[in-house]
Amino acid sequence: MSYISVDAITINSIDAQDRDRYVLLFTDKFGKLNVKFKSVRSANSRRVGLTQDFTLERILLYKKGTSYIATEASLIKDFPIAKTSSSKIFVLLYIKELMMLLVPFEQDDIGLFNFIVEILSLLDKSEEALDNAILLTFLFKFFEKIGYPIAFNGNYDKMAYFSLSTVGFNEKEGIPIAKEVAEEAYFLAHLKNYENITPIKHYDELIELLNYYIKEKFEVKDEFDRFLASLRELYAR
């Protein structure tokens, strides 16, 4: 038995028996954890807001065997503006799905943790016109952070194809793409200062390529197709 203090981002939550809730957290010290919040759904609980998706908080965890229980929690930041528009929520849903689907449990990754906080902060203060560019930037950087970067083989101004066999953009084989699409992809993938992000022109082409990369590279076609279908249904209302 031990107590551990962590900073954590809430990713998802599921109601449990009685008034408890299981919360999927991504922490600075232990990576992804499934944590039990006791009595958080009671009328008098002060912690119910801390189990909402995409809040940054400091949590004192109690570990017993392989289980984690939250004993104390305090809010650091809740990114309110990032949850106010449909385009921003669309970005959050992508982050949530990929964190659930592709990130393993209990593998610490402070680089990925800091990156997620940075993206949430950017989304929270940016204009809606930048949301598509933020999503694509997140995807390119996320693949790099988890060890599967998209490659740019050759001079980006000559790339005309996207292929899994070359793990990205190249000059010889794969799905034909316009030169302008490759140039925009290169800019987003190599962006160092997120303050320099600008609206993009080829969002539809790039998100289609990256969705294809997710489904085929990580062999999650069925799961990710269900996610995309749920997005289409949600945004068709």
Side-chain angles (χ1 to χ4, degrees):
M1 297 183 294
S2 60
Y3 287 89
I4 311 160
S5 178
V6 299
D7 288 352
I9 305 163
T10 55
I11 303 298
N12 192 40
S13 63
I14 300 175
D15 291 345
Q17 61 184 0
D18 301 324
R19 292 168 293 181
D20 301 340
R21 180 172 287 166
Y22 283 99
V23 182
L24 186 66
L25 301 175
F26 192 70
T27 72
D28 58 343
K29 296 177 182 175
F30 303 102
K32 193 165 73 175
L33 300 176
N34 201 21
V35 176
K36 187 175 185 179
F37 282 66
K38 289 187 173 182
S39 301
V40 75
R41 292 189 290 132
S42 65
N44 298 324
S45 176
R46 299 179 185 179
R47 297 187 298 165
V48 62
L50 299 176
T51 63
Q52 301 301 314
D53 291 354
F54 297 107
T55 57
L56 175 62
E57 54 210 55
R58 184 156 293 138
I59 302 174
L60 186 63
L61 299 177
Y62 171 72
K63 185 178 182 182
K64 183 176 182 181
T66 59
S67 300
Y68 293 89
I69 299 171
T71 61
E72 297 178 11
S74 60
L75 180 67
I76 298 175
K77 191 171 183 179
D78 62 354
F79 310 103
I81 297 174
K83 306 168 189 177
T84 56
S85 71
S86 60
S87 62
K88 292 183 182 298
I89 292 171
F90 189 87
V91 179
L92 294 180
L93 290 172
Y94 255 87
I95 297 173
K96 177 177 180 176
E97 181 69 12
L98 294 183
M99 292 296 290
M100 293 174 61
L101 198 59
L102 302 182
V103 176
F105 280 92
E106 297 195 45
Q107 291 190 17
D108 65 298
D109 192 335
I110 187 63
L112 180 57
F113 177 84
N114 289 336
F115 169 66
I116 298 298
V117 173
E118 192 171 10
I119 288 293
L120 293 176
S121 298
L122 178 64
L123 191 64
D124 194 54
K125 66 183 180 181
S126 68
E127 298 178 359
E128 290 182 30
L130 296 176
D131 290 345
N132 285 347
I134 292 173
L135 173 56
L136 294 175
T137 300
F138 163 75
L139 291 173
F140 279 115
K141 301 292 186 181
F142 175 77
F143 299 144
E144 180 181 345
K145 295 289 184 184
I146 65 173
Y148 295 91
I150 289 181
F152 291 83
N153 299 290
N155 296 320
Y156 73 87
D157 59 341
K158 296 181 180 178
M159 293 177 195
Y161 301 96
F162 184 91
S163 172
L164 287 179
S165 63
T166 62
V167 202
F169 297 88
N170 69 93
E171 301 176 13
K172 298 180 179 180
E173 61 178 282
I175 301 170
I177 57 171
K179 171 186 173 182
E180 294 77 14
V181 175
E183 289 177 340
E184 205 158 53
Y186 185 90
F187 170 77
L188 293 171
H190 293 84
L191 191 65
K192 301 295 184 184
N193 184 354
Y194 299 144
E195 300 297 328
N196 295 332
I197 200 166
T198 58
I200 58 172
K201 298 179 180 179
H202 301 287
Y203 170 79
D204 290 341
E205 297 95 324
L206 285 172
I207 196 66
E208 184 176 353
L209 286 175
L210 296 181
N211 285 340
Y212 165 75
Y213 180 79
I214 291 167
K215 289 187 286 186
E216 301 300 330
K217 179 66 177 178
F218 300 101
E219 299 181 350
V220 291
K221 184 178 186 305
D222 291 344
E223 299 96 320
F224 203 68
D225 275 340
R226 285 194 292 270
F227 165 69
L228 295 177
S230 71
L231 286 182
R232 288 192 293 269
E233 180 179 355
L234 177 64
Y235 283 85
R237 296 173 185 173

